[in-house]
Amino acid sequence: MYRTHNCGELSRKDIGKKVILSGWIQKIRDLGSLFFIDIRDYFGITQLIISKKSVKKNFFLGKEFLIKVKGKVVERLSKNYNIPTGEIEILVSHIDLLNSSLSPPFTIENQTDGNEEMRMIYRYLDIRRNPIKNNLIIRHNLALETRNFLSKNGFLEIETPVLINDTPEGARSFVVPSRTHIDKFYALAQSPQLFKQLLMIGGIDKYFQIVKCFRDEDSRSDRQIEFTQIDCEMSFVEVHDVLVFFEHFIKHIFKKIKNIQLDPFPCISHSDAIKIYGTDSPDIRFGMPIIELNDLVQRKNINFLKTQELVIGIKIKKCHNLHDKMSFFFKKIENPNFFWIKYLYDQTLLSSHSNFLNDEILKIFVKFFEAIPGDLLFVSYGKERKTREELGKIRIKIADILNLKNSKKFTPLWIKDLPILEWEEKYKKYKSVHHPFTSPKEEDLHFLEKNPKNVRSKSYDLIINGIEIGSGSIRIHNKHIQNLIFKHLGFSKKEIESRFGFFMKAFEYSVPPHGGIAFGLDRLVNLLEGNQNIKDFIAFPKNNYGKDIMINAPSFLEKEKLKELHFR
Amino acid sequence: MYRTHNCGELSRKDIGKKVILSGWIQKIRDLGSLFFIDIRDYFGITQLIISKKSVKKNFFLGKEFLIKVKGKVVERLSKNYNIPTGEIEILVSHIDLLNSSLSPPFTIENQTDGNEEMRMIYRYLDIRRNPIKNNLIIRHNLALETRNFLSKNGFLEIETPVLINDTPEGARSFVVPSRTHIDKFYALAQSPQLFKQLLMIGGIDKYFQIVKCFRDEDSRSDRQIEFTQIDCEMSFVEVHDVLVFFEHFIKHIFKKIKNIQLDPFPCISHSDAIKIYGTDSPDIRFGMPIIELNDLVQRKNINFLKTQELVIGIKIKKCHNLHDKMSFFFKKIENPNFFWIKYLYDQTLLSSHSNFLNDEILKIFVKFFEAIPGDLLFVSYGKERKTREELGKIRIKIADILNLKNSKKFTPLWIKDLPILEWEEKYKKYKSVHHPFTSPKEEDLHFLEKNPKNVRSKSYDLIINGIEIGSGSIRIHNKHIQNLIFKHLGFSKKEIESRFGFFMKAFEYSVPPHGGIAFGLDRLVNLLEGNQNIKDFIAFPKNNYGKDIMINAPSFLEKEKLKELHFR
């Protein structure tokens, strides 16, 4: 028997008991005739007292050695009230060495001196540290709570296949050569999209799956080539039904996992998001909306601005004490099409463009922005799209500089009505903004044939603190519309048949109206814990180049195996 | 709005309500001025009455058309008490056609006329049938119950990577070429074996995962190339702890899912299983153990048998009326090394070998077997291994013929102490019976260096009704033993380093004693439902050749993509 108790459960009420514990040595203090040793397991830490007399000569113990001890629970003299076992210690009568350890390559403490690479190579040692262990526990709780909540609400978890065919979903697929079907390949599913739609066609009313997905991404620090999705689909629903239910879901998760009661989720259109925040994934924790200034500029006839396609600005409140920081930041902005106005506490107005901007103009802006002394105004101008995007990014950077992103605050927001198609100038063709199965909005259907880029879709993204946590849509359930979208995307009849033949065949058998959403599980758990490094929430992550540096994958294949696969 | 209620929930208490329902047409009866239509959704079937007057001319409805109706709930004249909605019907005031359907290629009823191939091609239509839908529901319930039970018992579900390196686990791995790491490949995980062990090394006390695994199997009717495992591992345990806990788990599952209280699981050694049942996965629903006859044959000096390496037999109880069936079966047995003895109700003794077996000998057997009139004895002889295996198979066939396999009865059994290694004459080397990480039994350790085939392992299989449902072992946690096993398996030092270097490195950091088990989820749910076709429990199964015949995967790859992967 390795233990009667674990290292986290003994307390004052156990004093006098004879126990057996096993654990890794966290700390050794040599007090001459005695050792004080802290042993650690999954559950906690317990202090041992070992008399040197009871230990054989040359019996060496070091950090991370694994020992089993028998002894008696006694009251501790100097109590540690920070840990559950801090009022007791074990008077050890017998000690067994279960396994010895090399000195670990980094300290196994809450704060470690290991760099990311070392921590990934020795991931099993990193997992011994509380922060990583706790992340895995929270991830487990999140997944379990998700499953129970969705199941209680009538969703069935159904496994869809991983080994499928390549479908165009915006990213590259990994492929898997078949040994028995020569020259043929499977593709690893990028998502269960088509299969969950087939389940709806199969009459399954509500589906979900917490599922591994695979994308052959180029290296990016926040993307993993295998990642986990909470994938959901419902029949007989419209946008409203999906948003209401999944707002309920996200609120439930935050309440259960973080004990946070979220406010109702605002919902704005994609075009408004771009207009107000310069991005399709706005962080709304800190206000600072973008103000449209074109009208003002025309009305007040402000010369050097009125010929600009777009003039917009933001007001940075109570920024007076931070002017130096801001000036430093402004100097680094590459595009020169901006100016700032500082409204000092003594009511002086300073600006970056004093040659163009006289006091009268400055006052116009101050009034329009309803600025008060201490505020700072930032105005950008130029081509519409670029100016909005840039100001959106500047808004975020300002929030970083001014420390406006409260990591304890969570502000979800639905973005809906994304355009259905986007013109790719590079390839001279349309691509789907969401994916090719997204339904157009009824009121825009008349544009679909001739002017598809004006068509909005029944799509929605869930953004929390500026991060896209979920994305979904109502799907097309009409075969003519589905065919038209494929055509707009540049697929020939033959390609539609070869890629989606099975799917279009299913459209002959009464597809129900349906829609769904998918949440990024890795991102969601990371967000819940304050948006750190996503790798810290994955037990065995790949690095930014898709490599598992612990096991050294991918790796070369034996010749024999290559031959079996009919390569070379 | 598509519905106020679903098609399974309206009952007597809803009479008078105005409702909206959507569903697929299951049945149409034309009664002249009226249609009676049954519509179906996930939840059930509701009968509609539609006056022909309320329907436009040329409005055609057919089976599997999807309609939305508004109407009033009224009491039904001819009630159907077999379904929850059987006391009401809907008097339809308005009908919308949501989608039309071709005539389905097979009947969408509990009993279908579709063959397996058609049902797989049109899997989404097959899922509309209750038997398949219900299988998916049971699978969902089983997975959810498993997760909740294991979580309540302190197990953490942790996702391990799918894209790893090839490790030798008895089957071939699928490989995935890397686009960015030229000429390198990932392998799809055959199981999370090494990663779950690394989690134990990482101090995670109890792990589980319901996880897709991938094996590049040659075609076999009961194997899928992607399948799902309930994978579990615990630290600081011995064989006994694992068996006790997972007996508890399996009992819980049977109680929850089937409301069946299982008896305590017997546990026998692998060698006893072979001896008593002629197989390592015995079906013990029907007794009929194999009786050893060598001693008897020697003692009684039965001439033509006493030179045989092995003489064994079974007693088939109360077989009198089935003698014809049995004789027909005996005639088909190819190996002639057997005889039977019929003990008729009138106490006559008949045998197949009356030339060798005189009445005196027959009586010796009857007495030894404690046979009573009506019983049939079957005796086999020859080389030990072959004779045992064959009688094991004959025992199962007899149970089939005599209908002794009660599909309502579930008799689990643990088989333990499998040999650690098995000599493969073909390759002139050892292979692991379980896998290379299985711990030898302490009491056999002295054989390990010189006589490894005599070493039993700390392994165990869970057999229910003759089907292997789970398999596991206590793992090696000592690096010298692990190295020795690798050596016995024929790995050179270099190979150990290249294949298992990362794992052996982890052995330097105090591996805890640990062990676990994995259950086949597909098999378990299939068993619970009476062991039918495993494909009926997988939403989108592959066929016996690893093909998804619905989507036609695997398939040829575009040249562009091949080029990207540096092939050809």
Side-chain angles (χ1 to χ4, degrees):
Chain A
M1 184 193 271
Y2 291 108
R3 62 188 180 196
T4 55
H5 297 76
N6 65 52
C7 296
E9 66 178 320
L10 292 170
S11 67
R12 182 175 269 287
K13 70 176 191 326
D14 300 298
I15 287 170
K17 278 186 191 161
K18 295 205 165 164
V19 297
I20 303 175
L21 297 183
S22 289
W24 288 269
I25 293 177
Q26 178 80 23
K27 207 159 76 182
I28 304 182
R29 275 170 300 154
D30 189 337
L31 266 72
S33 62
L34 290 173
F35 288 121
F36 274 95
I37 295 184
D38 283 353
I39 57 169
R40 183 196 71 236
D41 67 7
Y42 177 78
F43 304 95
I45 283 183
T46 300
Q47 179 167 296
L48 314 174
I49 311 179
I50 300 176
S51 147
K52 282 197 181 166
K53 272 187 253 158
S54 71
V55 175
K56 278 181 224 140
K57 256 192 179 171
N58 302 322
F59 187 74
F60 175 75
L61 292 176
K63 274 192 181 181
E64 298 306 317
F65 277 46
L66 185 69
I67 58 174
K68 178 176 116 172
V69 296
K70 279 186 198 178
K72 209 168 88 174
V73 183
V74 297
E75 188 170 359
R76 201 149 138 181
L77 274 178
S78 61
K79 297 191 175 53
N80 174 357
Y81 293 103
N82 295 321
I83 59 170
T85 62
E87 294 183 69
I88 59 98
E89 58 198 1
I90 312 296
L91 203 58
V92 171
S93 58
H94 187 82
I95 178 165
D96 281 319
L97 180 62
L98 295 179
N99 238 328
S100 62
S101 176
L102 293 183
S103 177
F106 48 82
T107 55
I108 299 185
E109 303 275 359
N110 290 359
Q111 293 293 334
T112 182
D113 53 357
N115 63 26
E116 184 172 289
E117 195 182 337
M118 285 306 270
R119 287 172 47 216
M120 283 176 82
I121 292 175
Y122 296 92
R123 187 62 170 172
Y124 42 90
L125 296 182
D126 205 24
I127 292 172
R128 289 186 189 172
R129 298 193 310 114
N130 280 325
I132 304 296
K133 182 186 81 178
N134 290 337
N135 286 349
L136 296 178
I137 293 173
I138 287 167
R139 187 183 175 110
H140 164 87
N141 290 338
L142 171 59
L144 190 67
E145 198 56 49
T146 296
R147 286 189 158 103
N148 281 318
F149 179 86
L150 292 176
S151 301
K152 267 178 208 142
N153 282 280
F155 287 72
L156 275 195
E157 184 161 20
I158 297 178
E159 294 174 69
T160 54
V162 173
L163 292 167
I164 62 170
N165 274 339
D166 202 8
T167 50
E169 284 186 75
R172 282 191 189 84
S173 295
F174 285 105
V175 297
V176 180
S178 166
R179 181 175 51 86
T180 46
H181 306 276
I182 299 177
D183 284 345
K184 290 188 174 180
F185 290 79
Y186 302 94
L188 298 184
Q190 289 187 36
S191 84
Q193 185 61 37
L194 289 180
F195 290 91
K196 69 175 171 173
Q197 294 193 237
L198 290 169
L199 287 172
M200 297 300 105
I201 300 172
I204 301 298
D205 206 72
K206 296 184 194 74
Y207 142 96
F208 84 100
Q209 190 183 185
I210 299 186
V211 58
K212 272 275 175 81
C213 300
F214 303 87
R215 289 191 190 166
D216 185 4
E217 304 259 12
D218 292 318
S219 55
R220 268 213 259 173
S221 70
D222 65 335
R223 293 283 172 103
Q224 290 276 315
I225 57 172
E226 54 180 295
F227 58 97
T228 306
Q229 206 163 280
I230 304 169
D231 193 49
C232 308
E233 198 78 4
M234 310 161 86
S235 278
F236 302 111
V237 290
E238 273 298 348
V239 173
H240 176 76
D241 306 299
V242 179
L243 300 198
V244 166
F245 179 77
F246 285 101
E247 176 166 334
H248 182 38
F249 163 68
I250 290 288
K251 280 178 174 169
H252 175 84
I253 290 297
F254 271 81
K255 184 72 195 154
K256 278 280 180 175
I257 306 289
K258 301 290 291 182
N259 198 25
I260 288 175
Q261 185 69 53
L262 292 178
D263 290 333
F265 298 9
C267 179
I268 64 175
S269 72
H270 178 260
S271 58
D272 279 351
I274 301 282
K275 228 173 152 180
I276 305 173
Y277 303 104
T279 172
D280 57 5
S281 50
D283 189 338
I284 59 168
R285 273 176 293 181
F286 46 84
M288 222 193 290
I290 293 174
I291 310 290
E292 301 285 306
L293 300 170
N294 275 24
D295 274 5
L296 179 78
V297 161
Q298 296 303 329
R299 201 154 25 88
K300 299 292 181 181
N301 201 20
I302 302 174
N303 256 328
F304 84 107
L305 290 173
K306 70 181 187 183
T307 53
Q308 298 295 335
E309 191 174 305
L310 184 72
V311 186
I312 49 178
I314 51 177
K315 175 170 73 177
I316 307 150
K317 287 183 188 164
K318 294 183 207 154
C319 188
H320 188 82
N321 301 327
L322 300 156
H323 277 168
D324 289 350
K325 268 192 179 175
M326 293 308 298
S327 300
F328 183 75
F329 167 62
F330 293 152
K331 275 183 195 132
K332 290 194 298 180
I333 299 177
E334 279 173 12
N335 182 352
N337 288 352
F338 73 89
F339 59 85
W340 50 254
I341 302 169
K342 288 178 186 171
Y343 191 6
L344 303 186
Y345 279 127
D346 65 3
Q347 310 225 354
T348 320
L349 286 168
L350 295 179
S351 93
S352 55
H353 284 41
S354 45
N355 38 345
F356 310 125
L357 300 163
N358 59 33
D359 226 44
E360 191 192 349
I361 298 180
L362 296 184
K363 278 181 184 156
I364 289 171
F365 282 110
V366 163
K367 191 176 168 205
F368 189 78
F369 274 97
E370 300 177 356
I372 57 171
D375 289 354
L376 174 71
L377 307 179
F378 183 91
V379 175
S380 250
Y381 50 88
K383 286 278 176 199
E384 171 157 5
R385 189 170 171 160
K386 196 180 165 199
T387 304
R388 286 204 196 284
E389 270 178 19
E390 284 190 351
L391 189 54
K393 285 178 194 159
I394 285 169
R395 176 178 168 273
I396 293 298
K397 278 190 193 146
I398 291 172
D400 283 331
I401 293 167
L402 302 184
N403 224 346
L404 301 178
K405 293 179 170 176
N406 179 351
S407 69
K408 301 265 178 264
K409 194 171 166 187
F410 295 94
T411 50
L413 160 80
W414 290 109
I415 304 289
K416 62 176 192 174
D417 298 349
L418 283 73
I420 199 155
L421 297 167
E422 184 179 22
W423 181 255
E424 283 195 298
E425 198 50 40
K426 194 174 154 194
Y427 303 106
K428 299 280 174 206
K429 66 177 189 178
Y430 284 110
K431 75 167 195 178
S432 292
V433 171
H434 191 56
H435 58 50
F437 316 106
T438 304
S439 175
K441 292 191 80 163
E442 269 87 21
E443 56 263 53
D444 295 353
L445 267 181
H446 57 285
F447 291 129
L448 190 58
E449 191 99 34
K450 301 280 168 61
N451 203 353
K453 76 170 190 297
N454 282 359
V455 175
R456 292 164 302 164
S457 67
K458 294 185 181 176
S459 57
Y460 32 80
D461 290 340
L462 177 66
I463 311 297
I464 306 181
N465 296 1
I467 299 160
E468 188 195 300
I469 289 299
S471 181
S473 62
I474 299 299
R475 326 300 181 183
I476 298 166
H477 66 278
N478 174 302
K479 67 179 171 229
H480 305 296
I481 295 176
Q482 186 65 71
N483 255 316
L484 195 52
I485 295 287
F486 284 146
K487 255 190 247 168
H488 282 315
L489 292 172
F491 291 114
S492 69
K493 259 197 169 165
K494 217 180 125 192
E495 279 171 317
I496 296 173
E497 178 51 34
S498 75
R499 281 166 176 260
F500 303 107
F502 72 98
F503 191 60
M504 293 316 289
K505 193 193 263 178
F507 268 70
E508 302 289 356
Y509 297 95
S510 278
V511 178
H514 63 292
I517 192 165
F519 301 93
L521 177 66
D522 311 284
R523 282 194 197 178
L524 182 56
V525 62
N526 186 16
L527 173 81
L528 285 166
E529 291 302 292
N531 204 21
Q532 309 159 31
N533 184 343
I534 214 160
K535 295 189 196 85
D536 285 346
F537 295 85
I538 298 171
F540 299 98
K542 305 275 191 292
N543 76 3
N544 297 352
Y545 304 95
K547 278 186 68 165
D548 183 324
I549 60 174
M550 178 181 72
I551 66 171
N552 194 28
S555 61
F556 294 111
L557 222 55
E558 288 163 18
K559 278 202 185 121
E560 204 177 290
K561 184 107 196 186
L562 283 170
K563 222 166 131 189
E564 237 182 25
L565 293 168
H566 320 283
F567 290 145
R568 256 133 269 212
Chain B
M1 182 192 269
Y2 292 108
R3 61 188 181 195
T4 54
H5 297 76
N6 64 52
C7 296
E9 66 178 317
L10 292 170
S11 68
R12 184 176 270 283
K13 70 177 189 327
D14 300 297
I15 287 170
K17 278 187 191 161
K18 294 204 164 167
V19 298
I20 303 174
L21 296 183
S22 289
W24 288 268
I25 293 178
Q26 178 80 23
K27 207 160 72 183
I28 304 182
R29 276 170 300 153
D30 188 337
L31 266 71
S33 62
L34 289 173
F35 288 121
F36 275 94
I37 295 184
D38 283 353
I39 57 169
R40 183 199 69 235
D41 68 6
Y42 178 79
F43 304 94
I45 283 183
T46 299
Q47 180 167 295
L48 313 175
I49 311 179
I50 301 177
S51 149
K52 280 197 183 167
K53 273 187 254 159
S54 71
V55 175
K56 280 181 221 139
K57 254 190 178 173
N58 301 321
F59 187 76
F60 176 75
L61 292 175
K63 274 192 182 180
E64 298 305 317
F65 279 44
L66 185 68
I67 58 174
K68 177 176 117 173
V69 297
K70 280 186 198 177
K72 210 168 88 173
V73 183
V74 297
E75 187 167 0
R76 200 148 138 184
L77 274 176
S78 60
K79 298 192 174 51
N80 174 356
Y81 294 104
N82 295 321
I83 59 170
T85 62
E87 295 183 70
I88 59 98
E89 58 198 1
I90 312 295
L91 203 57
V92 171
S93 58
H94 187 83
I95 178 165
D96 281 319
L97 180 63
L98 295 179
N99 239 328
S100 62
S101 175
L102 293 182
S103 178
F106 49 82
T107 55
I108 299 185
E109 302 275 359
N110 290 358
Q111 293 293 332
T112 183
D113 54 357
N115 63 26
E116 184 172 288
E117 195 181 338
M118 286 305 270
R119 287 173 46 216
M120 282 177 81
I121 292 176
Y122 296 91
R123 186 62 170 172
Y124 40 91
L125 297 181
D126 204 25
I127 293 172
R128 289 186 188 171
R129 298 193 310 113
N130 280 324
I132 304 296
K133 182 186 81 178
N134 290 337
N135 286 349
L136 296 179
I137 293 173
I138 288 166
R139 186 183 175 110
H140 164 88
N141 290 337
L142 171 59
L144 189 67
E145 198 56 50
T146 296
R147 287 190 158 102
N148 281 316
F149 180 86
L150 292 176
S151 302
K152 266 178 210 144
N153 283 280
F155 286 72
L156 274 195
E157 183 160 21
I158 297 177
E159 294 174 70
T160 53
V162 172
L163 293 168
I164 61 169
N165 274 339
D166 201 10
T167 50
E169 284 185 75
R172 282 191 190 83
S173 295
F174 285 105
V175 297
V176 180
S178 166
R179 182 175 50 84
T180 47
H181 306 276
I182 299 176
D183 284 347
K184 291 189 173 180
F185 291 78
Y186 301 94
L188 297 184
Q190 289 187 37
S191 85
Q193 185 60 38
L194 289 181
F195 290 91
K196 69 175 172 174
Q197 293 193 236
L198 289 169
L199 287 173
M200 297 300 106
I201 300 172
I204 301 297
D205 205 71
K206 296 184 194 75
Y207 142 96
F208 82 101
Q209 190 182 188
I210 299 186
V211 59
K212 271 276 175 78
C213 300
F214 304 87
R215 290 190 190 167
D216 185 5
E217 303 259 12
D218 292 318
S219 56
R220 267 213 260 173
S221 69
D222 64 335
R223 294 283 172 104
Q224 290 277 316
I225 57 172
E226 52 180 296
F227 59 97
T228 306
Q229 207 163 280
I230 303 169
D231 193 50
C232 308
E233 198 78 6
M234 308 160 87
S235 278
F236 302 111
V237 290
E238 273 297 350
V239 173
H240 176 75
D241 306 296
V242 179
L243 300 198
V244 166
F245 179 77
F246 285 101
E247 176 166 335
H248 182 37
F249 163 68
I250 290 288
K251 281 177 172 168
H252 175 84
I253 289 296
F254 271 80
K255 184 72 195 155
K256 279 280 179 175
I257 306 289
K258 301 290 291 181
N259 197 24
I260 289 174
Q261 185 69 54
L262 293 178
D263 290 333
F265 298 8
C267 178
I268 64 173
S269 70
H270 179 260
S271 60
D272 278 352
I274 301 283
K275 226 170 153 181
I276 306 173
Y277 302 105
T279 172
D280 56 7
S281 50
D283 189 340
I284 59 168
R285 274 176 292 182
F286 46 83
M288 222 194 287
I290 294 175
I291 310 289
E292 302 285 307
L293 300 169
N294 275 23
D295 274 6
L296 179 78
V297 162
Q298 295 304 331
R299 200 152 29 87
K300 300 291 181 180
N301 201 18
I302 302 175
N303 254 329
F304 84 107
L305 289 174
K306 70 179 188 188
T307 54
Q308 299 296 334
E309 191 175 305
L310 184 73
V311 185
I312 50 179
I314 51 178
K315 175 169 74 176
I316 308 152
K317 287 183 189 165
K318 294 182 205 154
C319 188
H320 187 82
N321 301 328
L322 300 155
H323 277 169
D324 289 349
K325 267 192 177 175
M326 293 308 299
S327 299
F328 183 76
F329 167 64
F330 293 152
K331 275 184 194 129
K332 291 194 299 179
I333 298 176
E334 279 173 12
N335 182 352
N337 287 352
F338 72 89
F339 59 86
W340 50 253
I341 301 169
K342 289 177 185 170
Y343 191 7
L344 304 186
Y345 279 128
D346 65 3
Q347 310 225 355
T348 322
L349 285 168
L350 295 179
S351 93
S352 53
H353 284 40
S354 45
N355 40 344
F356 310 127
L357 300 163
N358 59 34
D359 226 46
E360 192 193 349
I361 297 180
L362 295 183
K363 277 183 185 154
I364 288 172
F365 282 109
V366 164
K367 190 175 168 206
F368 189 77
F369 274 96
E370 298 177 355
I372 59 170
D375 290 352
L376 174 70
L377 306 180
F378 183 92
V379 175
S380 250
Y381 49 87
K383 286 278 176 197
E384 172 157 6
R385 188 166 172 163
K386 195 179 163 199
T387 304
R388 286 204 196 284
E389 270 177 21
E390 284 189 354
L391 189 53
K393 284 178 196 160
I394 285 168
R395 176 178 167 273
I396 293 296
K397 279 190 192 143
I398 290 171
D400 283 330
I401 293 166
L402 303 183
N403 226 345
L404 300 179
K405 293 180 171 176
N406 180 350
S407 68
K408 302 265 178 264
K409 194 171 166 186
F410 296 93
T411 50
L413 159 81
W414 290 111
I415 304 289
K416 61 175 195 176
D417 299 349
L418 284 72
I420 199 157
L421 297 166
E422 185 179 20
W423 182 254
E424 282 195 299
E425 197 50 42
K426 194 174 154 195
Y427 303 105
K428 300 278 177 211
K429 64 176 189 180
Y430 285 110
K431 75 166 194 182
S432 291
V433 171
H434 190 55
H435 58 51
F437 316 106
T438 304
S439 175
K441 292 189 81 161
E442 269 89 20
E443 55 263 54
D444 295 352
L445 266 180
H446 57 285
F447 290 129
L448 190 57
E449 191 100 34
K450 301 281 168 62
N451 202 354
K453 74 170 192 297
N454 281 1
V455 176
R456 291 165 301 163
S457 67
K458 294 185 181 177
S459 58
Y460 32 82
D461 290 340
L462 176 65
I463 312 297
I464 306 183
N465 296 1
I467 299 160
E468 187 196 301
I469 290 298
S471 181
S473 63
I474 299 298
R475 326 300 182 183
I476 297 167
H477 67 277
N478 173 301
K479 66 181 173 227
H480 304 296
I481 295 176
Q482 186 64 72
N483 255 318
L484 195 53
I485 294 288
F486 284 145
K487 255 191 248 167
H488 282 316
L489 293 172
F491 292 114
S492 68
K493 259 198 170 163
K494 216 179 125 193
E495 280 172 315
I496 296 173
E497 178 51 33
S498 76
R499 281 165 176 261
F500 303 108
F502 72 98
F503 191 60
M504 293 315 290
K505 193 193 264 180
F507 268 71
E508 301 289 355
Y509 297 94
S510 279
V511 177
H514 63 290
I517 192 165
F519 300 94
L521 176 66
D522 311 284
R523 281 194 197 179
L524 182 56
V525 63
N526 186 15
L527 173 81
L528 285 166
E529 291 303 291
N531 204 19
Q532 308 158 32
N533 184 342
I534 214 160
K535 294 189 197 85
D536 286 345
F537 295 86
I538 298 171
F540 298 100
K542 305 274 191 292
N543 77 2
N544 297 351
Y545 303 95
K547 279 187 68 166
D548 183 325
I549 59 173
M550 178 181 73
I551 66 171
N552 194 28
S555 61
F556 294 111
L557 222 54
E558 288 162 18
K559 277 200 184 124
E560 205 177 291
K561 184 107 196 184
L562 283 171
K563 223 167 129 186
E564 237 183 24
L565 293 167
H566 320 285
F567 290 146
R568 253 130 274 212

